Amino acid sequence: MPRRILHIEHKNDIYRVRLQESPEQGTRYIALSHCWGEQPLLTTTAHNEIERREGIQWELLPLTFQHAVQICAGLGIEYLWIDSLCILQGNEDDWVQESAKMASIYANSWLTIAAAAAPDSTHGCLPKASAPKRYFLPAKTPKEAPRRVYARRLRTPFHSRDHLLQVSNELPLFQRAWVFQERILAKRVLYLCEDEMVFECFAHVRCECSDIPTEKVAQTMKQTDYMGVKYRFQGLMHQWSMYSAGFAKFLPFEPTGILEVWDHLVHHYARLKMRYHSDRLPGFGGIAGKFYGTGAMGRYYAGLWEYRLEECLLWYIYPSTADVAPLPPIRDAVYAPSWSWASVNGSWDYRRLSHQALYVKAGAEMSLVSKMDLTKLADVVEMQISLKSPSPFGKVDRAQLTLKARQAEAKVKYERTDQNADYATRFRQQNVTLALQNGALETKAYMDFVLDYEVEGSKIAPILPNDVVKCVGILRDWNSWEGPSDTCHGLVVACRLQKEGIPTIKTMSDGSLEVVEEGENHIYERVGKFEAPFAWFEGAETETFIIV
């Protein structure tokens, strides 16, 4: 149960709302999922908490909150959870404690109300009162009894698309990263759109205009869009609960299948907007906690898993043609280690090298093309993570990964992008290759940022064109989707001190801490991912890398 909740009393169209501490276990409540927006938001703070317990004036509640209260009263539910009112704003300790419960808050709610069309709390969330014009046609039953067939024009387009309930420009709520896990974890969601309501649970999706047939939902379960991924995720969690409760002797799934579902979830989440980049890991923490609970993934490392960690390290930003790309890197603050996908600012298209069989669409079915045959080229020596919160899925204070791997030095070759274009366009345009020092071989690299991007005349990327970087071999692939091959997949890393000149703290073998002076160049950060012929690493020296 959440620590605080709103209690609702309703009589003769008069509503009384007050903040209540420590609700009883098992209390039935509704949770509100909404956009904070740019308008001032009604909040609870340490200064007004006592006042909120005495009661909140109806006129102070923004329209979206009022509508949520009215829905609760109409359904006979006395309790409502709203984040801005039930978590003390401006209190870091309370936020850390309560945000760690976010997964259970939405998972245990009787219903989640999603104010899908409201850009902020003043907009309201109930569909417009002006209903579309209705039509009817005279008809007869097989026994010639007169009947009428009613119809109306479809005015809400989002759910009639091929990808149901996907990210939509028409629905502001679906663009928020925090909302993603609220939708994934909630048992029942009532989407309040501009013109109608849509209801979603683990088994069905229904809308007022009946444009979502059951068979379409079933087809979606075979795909990797939002609905398909949600059903696969919930299916895995249900199977795990049956196993842990003793109803199954063996796990009905393989960890490899769990990792595939994890990848699809991260892919959807990484494309969404996060107001505060520091929330990127906490905003996915509820989902991570569910995966951790299966025991099949091992330890959790800032968005990556101990299970097949080498493959998890080989994520990259796909230069999508869609209107999604990373934002300029943040160099003045660190919210996740560079080797974690959570270190990338903004919304972007997440991809990862997978050991799974590769598939392509063949009509409505999926057919097997080939299978990657991977062997390790690197050993994980040590992983150290210090957290800012008691939750292992929350904010990271500092982290470092120690690898022992083959390495090859290469020079960064780069074609300059249009300096007048925006960052997303330049990211898609940039073409980066890596050339061995002797110039004999070149290969393509997927970089984590635009190399020559400037802010107020200053370069902000950790490396520049013509810099020398190190290519750290992670995995060797003997059989790619193009056929037999001998390819090496790995990380592009650069010396952290090379650009910043800032001393770094190093953990010694005895556990003590020591300041690494400038000039010691064995502390690195990830700057990209590469694929190269294994010939690059034949006879290459093995080196120990500390990547932060």
Side-chain angles (χ1 to χ4, degrees), residues 54 77 131 138 303 306 408 421 423 493 500 522 546:
E54 295 174 353
I77 303 299
E306 182 181 22
Y423 188 85
V493 300
E500 298 181 359
H522 56 276
I546 299 176

Side-chain angles (χ1 to χ4, degrees), residues 259 263 301-317 337-341 350-353 378-383 400-403 405 448 472-475 489-492 526 528-530 547:
L259 190 58
D263 280 339
Y301 300 133
L304 278 58
W305 293 100
E306 182 181 22
Y307 175 73
R308 294 190 181 271
L309 177 59
E310 291 80 8
E311 293 173 29
C312 293
L313 288 168
L314 295 175
W315 58 268
Y316 61 99
I317 303 174
S338 67
W339 41 262
S340 168
W341 54 265
Y350 165 94
R351 301 290 174 91
R352 181 185 69 82
L353 175 72
D379 293 321
V380 177
V381 178
E382 185 182 29
M383 175 73 78
Q400 67 179 40
L401 166 67
T402 304
L403 288 175
D448 298 343
V472 183
I474 303 295
L475 291 173
H489 303 269
L491 304 181
V492 184
R526 173 197 155 122
K529 181 234 177 219
F530 75 92
I547 307 175

